[in-house]
Amino acid sequence: MGRKPLSDTSDENTESMELVAQSVEAKAARKQEINARFLEEGESYNLTVCLEKARMYQDQMASGMLGLGAQLLLLKANEEHGNFIAAVEELGLAPRSAQYAMSAALKFGKTQTSAFLEMGKEKIRVLTVLDDDAAQDLVNGEEVDGLGDLDDVAKMTVRELKKAVRELRNERAKIQEEHEKKLEAVEKVVGQKESKISELEMELAGRQPPTKEQLAQTALDGLKAPIMRELAAANEALRSCRQIVAQAQKIEGVNVDQLTAFSEQCNDLFQLLDDSYQDFCQDMEYIRPTKQEA
């Protein structure tokens, strides 16, 4: 049987499946991370419980902001995007306020020091723009250049804190820019040396340039890692899908008709996956050099 030509549709299908697999894998990993970090021991995610706790934390001050952020992160990780937006609206939160609360929870976790809790929500909002290292230093009771420690921050007015944070960020941005310039200069020097070494190696080899076969093998070797990485990601995505199927079968009260409908709803995408897999197998079986056009 002759090899069928690859179509543009097949390429688009393959790319779509890769994007779907990557998206599912990333979302599952993020959900697991957020649940592990913010759910209480032995507690399972529940939309109603999250909303109730979020309302409770809204009534508190600094500690409430961290708690509110934690519940919002749980909502965002476990709900579809539309449901998350609806939950934020139900809580009467502006999107920017919700983002501040989530950033505060991620950066400061369950910080309970008196200096931190007494500084108020406005100062915490200002501190959320700090990079992770500076935020962690403050949580650990260490001093941050230009800010001091939490006690020093507590003594500042909101305006003073904003100015200090702005100056700190500008200084760190300047340092980062200088570091990148130095790194670029070093890489340039290293590249020049590697080029010179390559030239000398060719001279030592009798001034013979590499053959087409040697160049082709080098290029082929460079493709091994990417294809193995993509196949591993696809395998992991399928493993995650099987876990989801197992979870569906364990839902209390679910019946055969519901599970059959659930399966049929996925048939189109599954068929797309099967077609892409068959095309890939055929490509690998009949892999041959492509004739170069004149």
Side-chain angles (χ1 to χ4, degrees):
M1 180 178 70
R3 176 186 178 185
K4 71 175 183 180
L6 292 175
S7 66
D8 292 339
T9 300
S10 177
D11 292 337
E12 292 175 359
N13 290 345
T14 301
E15 293 176 0
S16 297
M17 287 305 304
E18 291 175 350
L19 291 174
V20 169
Q22 292 172 7
S23 178
V24 170
E25 182 181 9
K27 184 175 181 180
R30 182 61 172 170
K31 175 180 177 179
Q32 183 177 8
E33 176 189 354
I34 292 297
N35 285 352
R37 184 170 178 181
F38 294 110
L39 285 175
E40 298 295 335
E41 184 175 354
E43 181 185 15
S44 299
Y45 168 76
N46 182 279
L47 170 61
T48 302
V49 172
C50 272
L51 286 172
E52 290 176 352
K53 287 186 176 181
R55 290 191 181 94
M56 177 186 70
Y57 287 124
Q58 277 185 297
D59 295 332
Q60 301 175 11
M61 294 297 288
S63 60
M65 186 175 185
L66 300 183
L68 171 62
Q71 300 309 309
L72 290 173
L73 285 167
L74 287 168
L75 287 166
K76 188 173 184 180
N78 289 276
E79 297 292 333
E80 295 297 329
H81 181 67
N83 288 349
F84 171 71
I85 296 299
V88 171
E89 292 176 351
E90 184 177 341
L91 292 169
L93 287 172
R96 188 173 181 82
S97 296
Q99 188 59 52
Y100 274 130
M102 290 187 290
S103 296
L106 286 173
K107 289 183 181 292
F108 301 110
K110 297 182 179 180
T111 305
Q112 296 295 322
T113 61
S114 59
F116 186 84
L117 298 179
E118 291 173 2
M119 68 175 58
K121 291 191 296 184
E122 287 303 316
K123 286 187 178 181
I124 294 178
R125 285 189 177 188
V126 176
L127 293 176
T128 57
V129 302
L130 292 176
D131 59 48
D132 292 341
D133 290 339
Q136 193 59 50
D137 287 342
L138 282 177
V139 170
N140 293 336
E142 300 175 11
E143 290 191 0
V144 175
D145 291 341
L147 289 181
D149 58 19
L150 280 177
D151 290 329
D152 296 320
V153 172
K155 296 174 184 177
M156 295 181 185
T157 64
V158 173
R159 178 176 295 182
E160 290 172 340
L161 181 58
K162 285 183 177 180
K163 180 181 179 182
V165 169
R166 182 168 56 251
E167 291 175 350
L168 174 62
R169 294 185 68 194
N170 290 340
E171 180 64 25
R172 295 203 171 190
K174 182 179 179 181
I175 293 174
Q176 180 64 27
E177 183 179 356
E178 292 176 351
H179 173 73
E180 290 176 354
K181 287 182 179 179
K182 290 179 180 179
L183 183 60
E184 184 178 348
V186 170
E187 290 176 344
K188 183 177 180 180
V189 171
V190 171
Q192 291 172 342
K193 289 185 177 181
E194 288 179 345
S195 177
K196 185 63 177 179
I197 290 173
S198 179
E199 292 175 3
L200 291 173
E201 287 177 344
M202 289 183 62
E203 290 183 8
L204 292 174
R207 298 179 182 274
Q208 294 296 322
T211 64
K212 289 184 177 180
E213 288 77 10
Q214 289 172 328
L215 292 173
Q217 186 61 54
T218 299
L220 194 61
D221 290 341
L223 294 177
K224 289 180 182 178
I227 194 170
M228 294 301 293
R229 183 170 59 251
E230 295 298 335
L231 288 173
N235 182 65
E236 180 62 22
L238 287 174
R239 187 186 68 81
S240 298
C241 288
R242 293 189 64 193
Q243 291 178 344
I244 293 172
V245 172
Q247 292 175 11
Q249 296 176 93
K250 294 178 182 178
I251 295 175
E252 184 176 356
V254 72
N255 58 46
V256 174
D257 290 340
Q258 290 174 315
L259 290 174
T260 300
F262 172 79
S263 175
E264 290 176 349
Q265 290 169 359
C266 301
N267 276 347
D268 290 342
L269 197 56
F270 179 77
Q271 185 61 51
L272 184 65
L273 173 63
D274 185 58
D275 291 344
S276 297
Y277 174 70
Q278 295 300 330
D279 289 341
F280 174 73
C281 289
Q282 192 174 48
D283 291 343
M284 295 299 284
E285 181 179 358
Y286 296 100
I287 189 169
R288 297 290 186 277
T290 302
K291 291 183 179 180
Q292 302 293 328
E293 297 182 358

